[in-house]
Amino acid sequence: MERLCAVSVDLDEIPLYHAIHGLPPPAGPSAHAVYELGLPRLAELARAEALPLTLFAVGADMAREASARALRGMAERGHEIGNHSLDHPYDLVRRPRAELERQVRAAITVLEAATGARPTGFRAPGYTITDELFEVLAEAGVAYDSSVFPCPPYYAAKAVKLALIRARGRRSRSILDTPRVLSAPRAPYRVGRPYWRRGTGLVELPITVTRLARLPFIGTSLMLAGPARARWLTRAVVGAPLVNLELHGVDVLDASDGLAPLRHHQVDLGVSAARKLETLSAVVDVLRRAGYRFVRLDEAARRVVCEST
């Protein structure tokens, strides 16, 4: 079986990180650092490494003309545009069904109008999804989801972080998923009910974790690891039929990008953008040497459908 790797990027803007940490909204140009600085760096990385990207965008960000123009440019260069909800509410799954439908369907409309490309994939805010949200996705004609993150170390770290934020008298907008998601398959599957079991429903492309210990293989952990240790982490996922490497736009930013106030809360901002890009190149190198072909997530989803029929 051919080995595939898809690099996807959640384009969460800086105000969302302030919301996670219970901080006031940022002021000034730094509020748009992901689109203004991060997206051009990702575009250059994609060009240099010949990488097709899948970019999960928040529909509301398209109200800013410069952001919409930048995302459209990426679509015109062949990168996939995915649906990351209309407003990125971290508690989306706790909202009424009508709001789930609005967040999914309105984002599709807005993103298609802004970029000329209709999103066929979805990623839930904060990786948190439910059976009901899967029903909404299917009814909206979404082809695949990529939200499930079966990673015990990440789940534990998030729980501790949220507890510390509460202890300091701040309120995070982030929420915890059910711990039962940790038993979900590592490889692509069709969801059952509950969604962490295999079934005949929507195609799910889980975010990759390592074998055995299920360590997180995502941008944050790789950026903090640095090039050498990131190579080791990458070798721990080699062999998976699909490596679904999930990044965020902030993974190519650092404190010097006007984000110094966030540095204390977002430790990966202490790593320079140049070193982060070096780390990503090291990861790509290991996977290419292991025989992986880089594809967009929509192609990976189509392969799952073909192999399951």
Side-chain angles (χ1 to χ4, degrees):
M1 181 184 297
E2 185 180 22
R3 292 176 171 180
L4 302 178
C5 177
V7 179
S8 60
V9 188
D10 296 1
L11 297 177
D12 302 0
E13 264 297 7
I14 302 306
L16 292 173
Y17 290 93
H18 281 244
I20 288 175
H21 300 293
L23 303 173
S30 68
H32 308 294
V34 166
Y35 276 91
E36 288 295 314
L37 302 174
L39 198 54
R41 290 171 191 169
L42 288 164
E44 175 55 27
L45 175 73
R47 186 201 63 77
E49 298 287 354
L51 295 177
L53 301 176
T54 296
L55 303 167
F56 285 99
V58 176
D61 287 338
M62 298 302 96
R64 181 174 179 266
E65 184 179 349
S67 298
R69 185 169 59 248
L71 192 63
R72 186 181 188 96
M74 295 297 285
E76 291 171 347
R77 287 192 284 275
H79 301 292
E80 178 188 2
I81 307 304
N83 180 352
H84 201 28
S85 79
L86 180 62
D87 301 308
H88 200 284
Y90 283 104
D91 63 347
L92 175 60
V93 296
R94 296 180 180 175
R95 298 191 178 191
R97 189 183 182 98
E99 179 62 7
L100 301 185
E101 293 172 352
R102 189 181 78 89
Q103 288 288 331
V104 171
R105 293 178 182 273
I108 291 173
T109 301
V110 168
L111 291 170
E112 183 175 19
T115 68
R118 184 177 179 84
T120 61
F122 181 82
R123 178 165 291 149
Y127 315 118
T128 307
I129 197 161
T130 60
D131 291 331
E132 185 177 36
L133 184 48
F134 269 113
E135 290 175 0
V136 169
L137 296 178
E139 290 169 4
V142 172
Y144 73 88
D145 176 73
S146 182
S147 305
V148 172
F149 190 25
C151 182
Y154 171 84
Y155 188 93
K158 184 175 182 179
V160 169
K161 182 67 176 179
L162 293 179
L164 288 173
I165 290 172
R166 287 193 300 270
R168 291 167 181 159
R170 301 197 306 271
R171 178 179 175 272
S172 174
R173 298 289 180 86
S174 187
I175 63 172
L176 273 179
D177 199 356
T178 171
R180 288 173 288 188
V181 70
L182 302 178
S183 65
R186 291 174 56 241
Y189 67 104
R190 284 187 175 275
V191 298
R193 193 174 182 96
Y195 67 86
W196 54 85
R197 295 178 181 167
R198 296 181 185 275
T200 58
L202 203 68
V203 170
E204 174 60 37
L205 304 176
I207 295 162
T208 294
V209 295
T210 65
R211 298 183 299 273
L212 302 177
R214 292 199 174 203
L215 299 175
F217 189 71
I218 59 174
T220 305
S221 55
L222 293 168
M223 299 309 112
L224 291 173
R229 284 178 290 182
R231 285 180 177 272
W232 175 85
L233 273 171
T234 306
R235 286 191 285 271
V237 303
V238 166
L242 171 67
V243 173
N244 183 2
L245 171 55
E246 187 259 0
L247 310 173
H248 282 81
V250 76
D251 289 330
V252 293
L253 300 177
D254 61 32
S256 70
D257 293 319
L259 304 178
L262 196 56
R263 163 70 178 83
H264 175 70
H265 307 277
Q266 200 77 25
V267 295
D268 49 300
L269 288 174
V271 180
S272 73
R275 184 170 174 81
K276 290 178 173 182
L277 291 167
E278 181 185 356
T279 296
L280 289 173
S281 292
V283 169
V284 170
D285 178 64
V286 172
L287 291 169
R288 279 225 167 94
R289 288 176 183 271
Y292 280 85
R293 180 168 70 90
F294 286 79
V295 299
R296 303 181 345 171
L297 275 177
D298 56 356
E299 179 179 345
R302 287 194 295 271
R303 289 291 298 273
V304 170
V305 171
C306 290
E307 291 168 6
S308 64
T309 57

